[in-house]
Each structure stands twice: as structure tokens, then as C-alpha cells.
Amino acid sequence: MGTWDIGPFDNDTAADFSSTVDEAPEERKADVLLAAFREVIETGDDYLDSDLAVEAVAAAALVAAQLPGGTPVTTPYGPDQAIPPLPAALRPEAVAALDRVLAKDSELLELWEESDGEEWKAGVLHLRAVLAAAMA
């Protein structure tokens, strides 16, 4: 995986995921995000591949961007097309996926921990906080 910074879209896998989101019809974009969350959640206690985790983090960033306290996705590596208003039902799925990304047996977490990824982890925790606040 080529990674150049700590943001949700600052790696090759997330940039490719952005293309997948762009290629989906507007009415199916939420389904693409939900699929990314569910793939991560459904790993349970099994080892979580970093590519799946990266896609879930990027998807969570897209959901959080529409919420108070969320950061707009302005990077050129994010989706080119506007994301329609997303259903509130995605928020708990996103939180559960981020919790899994930050749990044991997560390759992405391990990779960041090897390179002093506290700033990356703080960014993921911020996404989670924005999503959780919107569920309250």
C-alpha cells in the first residue's frame, strides 16, 4: 500500500475506493459505504486486512463529512462526485467498523503503530467521535 500522509484518503487503496464510490449510481453510493463497513465488522475476531480497514476509514470520513463537526473531504484523492445526503443508519455501522479497525488483529492499526501513528489514530478517533455524537 502506498501511503503518503495520515488522512483517510492519503493512500492508494482509499483513492481506488473513491473511484468505486464515484462509479456507483447516486442512489447506490450509501450501499457502497455500507458494504465497506460490513466487510470490516464481519471479520469479527479474525485478522483484519489493511485494505478493508482503509476502505472503512475512508467511508466513515464520507459519512462524518456530512455531520456537525465533520471535516469536508476536499482532497483530490477523495470522490470527485458529490455524495448525496446519507442515511442516519450508516452512522452506527461506521462507528462499529472504526472500533474494529482500532481493535487487536487489525493490520492497519499494526502498520501505523510500527511508524508512530498516534496522529493517524487521533484522526480515526475524531471521525468516530463525530459519528457517535450524531447518534446521541
Side-chain angles (χ1 to χ4, degrees):
M1 167 177 76
T3 301
W4 50 88
D5 208 346
I6 63 166
F9 294 94
D10 293 340
N11 60 76
D12 291 332
T13 302
D16 290 344
F17 179 72
S18 293
S19 295
T20 301
V21 173
D22 277 337
E23 291 167 6
E26 184 172 320
E27 66 275 5
R28 305 278 300 153
K29 291 187 188 301
D31 295 333
V32 172
L33 304 182
L34 180 59
F37 299 142
R38 294 232 168 120
E39 279 191 276
V40 166
I41 295 166
E42 290 171 3
T43 64
D45 291 333
D46 294 338
Y47 194 71
L48 175 59
D49 180 80
S50 66
D51 286 345
L52 294 178
V54 162
E55 289 182 357
V57 171
L62 294 173
V63 176
Q66 295 186 354
L67 300 172
T71 304
V73 176
T74 58
T75 174
Y77 303 105
D80 292 326
Q81 299 177 12
I83 304 296
L86 296 168
L90 287 178
R91 297 169 194 167
E93 299 282 343
V95 168
L98 293 178
D99 286 345
R100 178 64 189 93
V101 167
L102 295 172
K104 68 178 185 131
D105 292 329
S106 168
E107 182 182 23
L108 185 60
L109 178 63
E110 290 172 6
L111 290 169
W112 278 108
E113 286 178 340
E114 290 173 4
S115 63
D116 191 30
E118 286 304 312
E119 196 174 351
W120 170 82
K121 190 173 180 180
V124 174
L125 289 170
H126 173 73
L127 287 175
R128 189 196 183 287
V130 168
L131 291 159
M135 293 174 4

